[in-house]
Amino acid sequence: MKINIQEIARRSNVSIATVSRVLNNKGPVKPETRNKILTLAKQLNYKPSPHARALSSRRTDTIGVILPELVDEYFMDIIQGIDEEAHLFNKYLMISSSHSQRNDIETIMEFMGSGRTDGAIIMAPSLHDEIYEVIKKSKRPVVLLNCCSSKTNVVSFNIDNYRGARQIVAHLIDHGYRKIGMIKGPDRNIEAQARFEGFHDILVERGLEYKENYVISGDFSLTSGNYGMLRLMGSDDKPQAIFAANDYMAIGAYQAARNLNLKIPEDVAIVGFDDIFTSRIIHPRLTTVHVPVVELGRRALNYLVGMIDGTKDPAESYHEELSTGLVIGESCGCKSK
Amino acid sequence: MKINIQEIARRSNVSIATVSRVLNNKGPVKPETRNKILTLAKQLNYKPSPHARALSSRRTDTIGVILPELVDEYFMDIIQGIDEEAHLFNKYLMISSSHSQRNDIETIMEFMGSGRTDGAIIMAPSLHDEIYEVIKKSKRPVVLLNCCSSKTNVVSFNIDNYRGARQIVAHLIDHGYRKIGMIKGPDRNIEAQARFEGFHDILVERGLEYKENYVISGDFSLTSGNYGMLRLMGSDDKPQAIFAANDYMAIGAYQAARNLNLKIPEDVAIVGFDDIFTSRIIHPRLTTVHVPVVELGRRALNYLVGMIDGTKDPAESYHEELSTGLVIGESCGCKSK
DNA sequence: TTGAAAGCGCTAACAC
DNA sequence: GTGTTAGCGCTTTCAA
């Protein structure tokens, strides 16, 4: 037995229009009629067809989530936040990765154009400016995560990478280190940029000299951290402390330190950024910056739903920065309690 | 300008039926007609409406993926495999977690009934028997991942947990340990069961005594590993080596060992299962079992697509077990190269 | 090879 | 308050 809106209507002795009104809480319906329909629907376990609904109303109750090519722990947590919040709003999640085979933008365009979603959350660590055009042209609202500055004319939610970097580097300075080096992230990555700027600015503000040879570029990978550490420690003018732009690189730096027979933090202090699981396990425990990723995902979805509902103006640009927190380990020189 | 199938038909001077045939590669069409339509469609960047298509053909090109409540690294990798393969088949992925608030089965039923997907991949570490009924009743095909034995009348892809456990415990035995303990996973979890059976059987086969007081239950969490280790090492009759049913618990056991001032592997050897990132970082490096999770996801999706296409019989039950590999660290007593 | 037309199940504008 | 009806965009018989 096929139960669709017609069947419900037939059995309730009303028209399908009335059934539709009840189901969508739209328009006036006599309470008893309403109850009769609701009861029957529940009884027959009737679920409206999402496709029919989408076809006639262009509403899918589905949110697109576009992930970067490399998905690690960090992104998994964001998704968790998105998913939890999506569930509160009865939204479904359609997930797509930017596969290396295909261009980021193509993936995104395809996704947005398909009409499968009411809107999308995009996480792409480094976006071309092109993407902003795509988003502006899109019929459906979009929220960007961690991938654009507040200057861009879009909606975005970000971690306050700049302040996080300042905080942790300030902590190093407070320890008395004067020669502080950094293993940077990829230049095109906006988060990496902000973390570097935070590092740079706090050094200068605190009256320390910023030295180019204390800074080396990595790509957020373990191996690049390892390599960066070898380079920094291979020079005659060695830094006393290293700020790795993320925990993976910090852990790579640990490996290099071990190979060089350098004790952390006695010979060189190391701090990271992201607060991944491994950082809490290794010895000495890594001092790092905690980023509220679950919360980030939550808020992004919440705002996006607002744009879809019309609660928030989708045309208006909006930016929010979530603040980070310091996780004190022993790798900076602090004693364990 | 709205471009739908009608528009394409109008501009090509053919009927929409013909356009539909071309787009779906169904039924005979004169090559030139076909080309004309294809060219025009490309030129206008025409994309068929997935909802209209789904409404009339019940095909969504979307696969549902149901995750367990706790999603870690392990599941992330499975998803990666699923995603990569899905992309090859031009399938979209709709992801849903089993939130703690709601019952596993409810989540699954809802998902399957909604008609949003052509089929689903379900990962639920411990399923009630009830679920098999649900799956059998479902109109859409389902593949289970890591959550049922080959006795069940469904399609499933699994890691060969039993052999993996045998392998790694055999490795411990080869080291000469005679007193081998285990920190088990949750009893209801089928993977945990298989790992325990592997442990048990190889001990017996190799002529070692199986002692109940060498075995303790955990729940796959870090803390339960820590606690289990404390219990095992707190007794008078201490095991010489511990097999933790997963890496998280093995790492928890490391922490306990450290607190007890026990050296690994000199005082006690520890091995794990899963080969997570952290296991390769910690010292001594954890000897563990590598599980081909990306491949698992790939195969599952591939098979599911077959069932949807009709290549594979959805009514027939099928089971596949992927074999594991040993990752030798130093925690078992092996020397690093 | 091609076209006409009947759905697929629902929403929303309009009429009563 | 409720019913009628015209789509939404596509697939799929059935005829031609």
Side-chain angles (χ1 to χ4, degrees), chain B residues 11-26:
Chain B
R11 299 209 198 186
S12 323
N13 294 314
V14 294
S15 71
I16 59 168
T18 301
V19 177
S20 177
R21 280 193 278 266
V22 170
L23 262 29
N24 295 293
N25 263 317
K26 257 181 197 166

Side-chain angles (χ1 to χ4, degrees), chain B residues 5-6 18 35 37 99 107 116 120 158 192 221 230 244 263 304:
Chain B
I5 197 172
Q6 288 196 57
T18 301
N35 283 332
I37 293 172
H99 297 270
T107 307
R116 289 169 201 272
N158 304 285
S221 72
L230 290 178
K263 284 249 168 301
L304 181 59

Side-chain angles (χ1 to χ4, degrees), chain A residues 127-169:
Chain A
L127 288 178
H128 304 271
D129 288 346
E130 232 182 297
I131 193 68
Y132 302 118
E133 301 307 313
V134 174
I135 291 170
K136 276 295 144 201
K137 273 193 214 114
S138 152
K139 300 290 168 225
R140 307 295 176 104
V142 168
V143 169
L144 295 177
L145 246 41
N146 283 338
C147 54
C148 72
S149 78
S150 57
K151 276 159 286 184
T152 55
N153 184 28
V154 291
V155 172
S156 78
F157 286 75
N158 304 285
I159 293 298
D160 194 342
N161 290 290
Y162 178 76
R163 287 195 53 224
R166 286 176 60 100
Q167 266 177 30
I168 199 160
V169 175

Side-chain angles (χ1 to χ4, degrees), chain A residues 50-51 54-55 60 71 76 83 87 92-95 97 99 102 110 114-116 248 258 277-278 281 283, chain B residues 50-51 54-55 60 71 76 83 87 92-95 97 99 102 110 114-116 248 258 277-278 283:
Chain A
H51 301 298
L55 190 57
T60 66
V71 176
M76 199 63 233
D83 180 69
H87 183 236
Y92 288 81
L93 252 34
M94 193 158 261
I95 302 218
S97 301
H99 296 271
R102 38 181 180 170
E110 195 191 313
S114 74
R116 288 170 202 271
Y248 283 109
R258 170 173 286 257
F277 175 75
T278 308
I281 300 298
H283 293 280
Chain B
H51 300 298
L55 190 57
T60 66
V71 176
M76 199 63 234
D83 180 69
H87 184 235
Y92 288 82
L93 253 34
M94 193 158 260
I95 303 219
S97 300
H99 297 270
R102 35 180 183 173
E110 194 191 314
S114 74
R116 289 169 201 272
Y248 283 109
R258 171 174 285 257
F277 175 75
T278 308
H283 292 279

Side-chain angles (χ1 to χ4, degrees), chain A residues 5 20 24 26 46 48 52-53 56:
Chain A
I5 197 172
S20 178
N24 296 293
K26 256 181 198 166
Y46 164 69
R53 188 172 259 177
S56 73

Side-chain angles (χ1 to χ4, degrees), chain B residues 195-212:
Chain B
R195 291 176 192 185
F196 171 69
E197 282 163 24
F199 164 81
H200 174 272
D201 292 0
I202 191 76
L203 283 191
V204 173
E205 283 174 32
R206 291 294 198 90
L208 301 199
E209 188 189 0
Y210 167 73
K211 298 180 71 173
E212 288 224 344

Side-chain angles (χ1 to χ4, degrees), chain A residues 78-88 93, chain B residues 95-97 99:
Chain A
I78 299 185
I79 296 173
Q80 193 195 319
I82 294 176
D83 180 69
E84 286 174 10
E85 195 77 6
H87 183 236
L88 291 182
L93 252 34
Chain B
I95 303 219
S96 170
S97 300
H99 297 270

Side-chain angles (χ1 to χ4, degrees), chain A residues 309-322:
Chain A
D309 290 351
T311 320
K312 317 269 199 227
D313 181 0
E316 202 164 300
S317 70
Y318 178 82
H319 299 276
E320 200 169 298
E321 300 225 302
L322 303 200

